[in-house]
Amino acid sequence: MNAGDIRRRGEEAIPRLFALDDAGTAFRVAMRKYARIIVCALLGGLTLVPFFFLAQTVVQRLTVLVLSLVVYIPLFEVSQKVARYKAADYLSDIYELDDETVADSFLQEVAFGKGVGKIVIEDGTISEKDEESPVIQVGGPGFIQVNLDNVALMERADGSPEIIYPREKAWKMSSFARLREIGESDEAGQRQFAIVSLRDQKTKISVRSRTKDGIPLEARNVEILFGLFRKPEAQASDANPHHLDESAICALVYNQAVVYPAPKPSGVSFPWDTTVIPLIAAELEEIISSHTLSELLATVSYKEVDDVNEGETENQTLRFEMTGEQTAASGAGVVNPPNFESRSKITARFYSPEFKEKAAQLGVVIHWIDIGTWKFPSELIFKELKSGWEMRRENARRRSQMNRLAKRQETQELRELVASVIVNSFERANSGRDSRSLSDNDVTRLSKVIHDNPAISFSPAIRQQIRDSAPQKNAATEILKAFRKELIAARELIQKENRSPVNKQIEIARIDKALRDIDHHLFHFIGG
């Protein structure tokens, strides 16, 4: 072996001496044993040489030999104790340990042992007894047993994460590997670790913000069902029965949101209180702040908008009939339907691809959500809105009642007009008196009735009234002739009116159809 080989082996021995793996531990144990033998032999030889030859008998020489070897053993033990004490004191100061025996036990394991400490993760926590273990307070080597419905994140000495999940065999922790801590407390029983439950979670929160028009509004009792984001079943391997996505777990641990001031307790702990809760709260705050109060609560319905627009159309028609001027519809008179954000629309936002992608980046998935109820911090706002809703219902009731009264009055006037114009004319013709032409007033009234009711000649009520007044065949013929005469007069009157040609043509077409039907029945009666 030349000098180069010796130098190379020396360079290789130094990294192996300080390695944190099992090979490094075995190398240190072997080197400690060899060092003891060599040092003991050297010191014993230095002691043995001067006194061995001074001994006269064999017993004396054996005594000198034994004492030369044994006398340095206490020295080794004392030296090791002092070194361990100093190292444990230093380690206790670094990790702020109250019990130095924990540090001493850790040093023995990390330097010369393979780790015998074992902790158990169950129901998302670690027992207080296990929290006193060097495996938790300092780090590995050791073992972690993960029970069902739990998954945890462990960090190696170089900072790289390792996901540990339920399995029969305990997970081995390398030297200085630690279970990730995410809490602020170092007290036993109050520590929080990066342990995630595999079960779906359900919680209830409330979110308060201001609407676009500056009114305080609160979404109360928002219920959420959520869980850990997992790989699709088709992408998961047989070795991953829980379909775990390591990137999702790392996102849950490392992508936590810092909420200030601290929110009220939401019924869930890490990691959901720093991921899901801020995500849902931010989305609801954006919904509230980007809409006005009327858009969220819909004080105006589509039916009311249709009623207003229909009334505006009737006003334009009357204006044209009275002035003869065709006015273009202005945007000021048209009421647009409200941009109402219904509960279904708001809920759908949490199932959109964009929101799902945002949630997946945090490592969570939303299974179901109920946006709760809107709550006003001020009762005055609620009273004003309630008064508006009651007024709207009252207006709708009055409008319906007025429409029924108008319809009843219209039917009554229609019957009176038929009786005065047609039936009376027929009776005068049968009594031998000369029939007279209708007055301009009668023609105007009849034309208006035909304009509003183009199917006047086919009304069941009028047919019954005509049958009752003139039951015989000749009477029916005379009534149809009277209808024909009045319809012709109405057509001539409409043609002379200063109205829209399109509207006039529609009404004239209806009158012509009625005249054709009357001619058909007249010829039928005459031929019969």
Side-chain angles (χ1 to χ4, degrees):
M1 182 181 296
N2 54 29
D5 293 337
I6 296 175
R7 187 184 303 108
R8 179 174 56 80
R9 291 190 177 186
E11 292 176 353
E12 292 178 353
I14 293 177
R16 292 176 63 189
L17 185 64
F18 294 100
L20 298 178
D21 54 8
D22 292 342
T25 300
F27 181 76
R28 284 190 294 272
V29 171
M31 291 300 295
R32 181 177 62 172
K33 180 175 66 175
Y34 296 149
R36 282 181 175 180
I37 296 173
I38 294 174
V39 172
C40 187
L42 289 176
L43 294 177
L46 292 176
T47 305
L48 179 64
V49 170
F51 295 98
F52 183 80
F53 296 102
L54 295 177
Q56 299 299 323
T57 64
V58 176
V59 174
Q60 292 178 347
R61 290 179 180 179
L62 290 175
T63 303
V64 171
L65 178 62
V66 172
L67 290 177
S68 299
L69 296 176
V70 174
V71 71
Y72 294 104
I73 294 178
L75 179 62
F76 281 115
E77 292 298 327
V78 171
S79 301
Q80 185 175 356
K81 286 288 185 182
V82 172
R84 287 172 55 183
Y85 172 78
K86 292 293 185 180
D89 182 65
Y90 176 78
L91 192 66
S92 299
D93 184 59
I94 293 295
Y95 286 94
E96 298 181 356
L97 302 177
D98 297 331
D99 189 0
E100 290 188 1
T101 59
V102 175
D104 183 71
S105 175
F106 168 78
L107 288 173
Q108 281 293 103
E109 292 294 335
V110 75
F112 305 108
K114 296 184 178 180
V116 294
K118 182 178 180 181
I119 62 174
V120 178
I121 297 177
E122 187 171 7
D123 296 332
T125 60
I126 297 174
S127 66
E128 292 188 21
K129 180 181 177 181
D130 286 344
E131 287 188 20
E132 300 295 337
S133 170
V135 174
I136 291 296
Q137 297 196 36
V138 182
F143 296 90
I144 298 181
Q145 179 66 53
V146 183
N147 288 345
L148 294 176
D149 294 329
N150 296 282
V151 63
L153 186 141
M154 181 174 62
E155 292 178 334
R156 303 183 182 93
D158 59 357
S160 60
E162 180 181 2
I163 307 301
I164 54 178
Y165 50 85
R167 69 177 187 181
E168 183 179 359
K169 184 179 179 181
W171 293 85
K172 179 175 176 54
M173 301 177 65
S174 59
S175 298
F176 285 99
R178 301 188 67 188
L179 194 62
R180 170 80 178 189
E181 289 192 42
I182 49 89
E184 298 179 355
S185 176
D186 288 332
E187 299 294 331
Q190 298 181 3
R191 291 184 173 183
Q192 290 182 302
F193 301 93
I195 302 174
V196 181
S197 175
L198 296 178
R199 300 173 182 173
D200 289 338
Q201 307 291 319
K202 186 177 182 181
T203 188
K204 185 183 296 185
I205 63 172
S206 295
V207 179
R208 180 178 296 182
S209 183
R210 286 185 177 269
T211 61
K212 193 175 182 180
D213 43 3
I215 300 176
L217 187 64
E218 181 181 6
R220 180 167 293 185
N221 297 330
V222 179
E223 296 187 27
I224 318 162
L225 180 65
F226 55 91
L228 175 67
F229 180 82
R230 310 194 189 198
K231 291 181 179 180
E233 186 175 356
Q235 299 180 8
S237 62
D238 295 337
N240 185 7
H242 300 282
H243 306 164
L244 297 178
D245 190 332
E246 294 188 1
S247 61
I249 300 174
C250 291
L252 273 174
V253 176
Y254 296 117
N255 295 346
Q256 302 175 57
V258 178
V259 182
Y260 183 83
K264 297 180 181 179
S266 57
V268 292
S269 58
F270 174 87
W272 318 116
D273 56 345
T274 54
T275 51
V276 175
I277 305 304
L279 177 66
I280 298 296
E283 189 71 13
L284 285 174
E285 287 177 358
E286 196 277 332
I287 291 173
I288 295 175
S289 61
S290 61
H291 293 85
T292 61
L293 185 64
S294 59
E295 292 174 343
L296 294 173
L297 300 181
T299 55
V300 180
S301 65
Y302 281 88
K303 185 178 184 303
E304 291 173 322
V305 172
D306 294 338
D307 292 341
V308 173
N309 291 335
E310 184 179 351
E312 181 65 21
T313 303
E314 292 178 358
N315 292 337
Q316 291 180 0
T317 302
L318 291 175
R319 189 183 304 113
F320 173 74
E321 292 179 354
M322 296 175 64
T323 62
E325 297 180 358
Q326 182 72 29
T327 58
S330 61
V334 178
V335 178
N336 295 321
N339 186 23
F340 174 52
E341 287 292 314
S342 63
R343 293 174 61 87
S344 58
K345 287 183 180 179
I346 296 176
T347 304
R349 292 184 58 163
F350 294 94
Y351 299 106
S352 63
E354 295 80 9
F355 185 82
K356 288 183 177 180
E357 178 64 25
K358 191 185 302 184
Q361 292 177 359
L362 294 177
V364 298
V365 59
I366 307 299
H367 299 305
W368 172 82
I369 185 172
D370 178 14
I371 61 172
T373 57
W374 299 118
K375 176 68 176 179
F376 299 99
S378 174
E379 291 296 329
L380 178 61
I381 300 176
F382 177 73
K383 291 179 180 179
E384 293 292 334
L385 286 173
K386 184 178 179 181
S387 176
W389 289 332
E390 291 176 350
M391 186 179 298
R392 184 189 66 183
R393 290 195 294 267
E394 181 65 20
N395 290 338
R397 186 186 65 80
R398 291 179 179 180
R399 187 182 300 108
S400 178
Q401 184 178 3
M402 291 178 62
N403 290 337
R404 288 195 300 270
L405 292 175
K407 193 67 177 178
R408 190 181 303 117
Q409 184 67 22
E410 180 182 352
T411 303
Q412 183 64 25
E413 290 182 359
L414 180 60
R415 290 180 178 178
E416 293 177 358
L417 182 61
V418 170
S420 62
V421 175
I422 300 175
V423 176
N424 291 344
S425 297
F426 173 71
E427 290 177 350
R428 286 195 297 272
N430 286 344
S431 62
R433 293 192 297 270
D434 296 336
S435 61
R436 63 179 181 85
S437 301
L438 294 176
S439 65
D440 294 339
N441 187 27
D442 291 337
V443 173
T444 302
R445 292 172 63 192
L446 183 60
S447 65
K448 187 175 185 307
V449 172
I450 295 173
H451 172 263
D452 296 335
N453 302 274
I456 182 174
S457 60
F458 306 106
S459 174
I462 296 177
R463 287 182 177 178
Q464 183 64 32
Q465 188 170 359
I466 292 174
R467 285 195 295 269
D468 295 341
S469 302
Q472 298 181 3
K473 180 189 258 187
N474 292 334
T477 302
E478 294 299 327
I479 291 175
L480 289 176
K481 288 180 180 180
F483 266 117
R484 188 175 186 277
K485 180 179 179 180
E486 302 307 328
L487 288 172
I488 293 173
R491 183 176 61 182
E492 294 176 354
L493 181 63
I494 292 173
Q495 290 175 345
K496 295 178 182 180
E497 288 180 349
N498 185 17
R499 297 172 58 188
S500 171
V502 177
N503 295 336
K504 289 198 299 184
Q505 188 62 33
I506 294 174
E507 295 177 1
I508 291 174
R510 293 175 177 173
I511 294 176
D512 289 340
K513 182 179 183 303
L515 290 174
R516 288 194 298 271
D517 294 338
I518 291 174
D519 291 341
H520 171 75
H521 289 290
L522 285 177
F523 295 144
H524 175 71
F525 285 133
I526 296 173

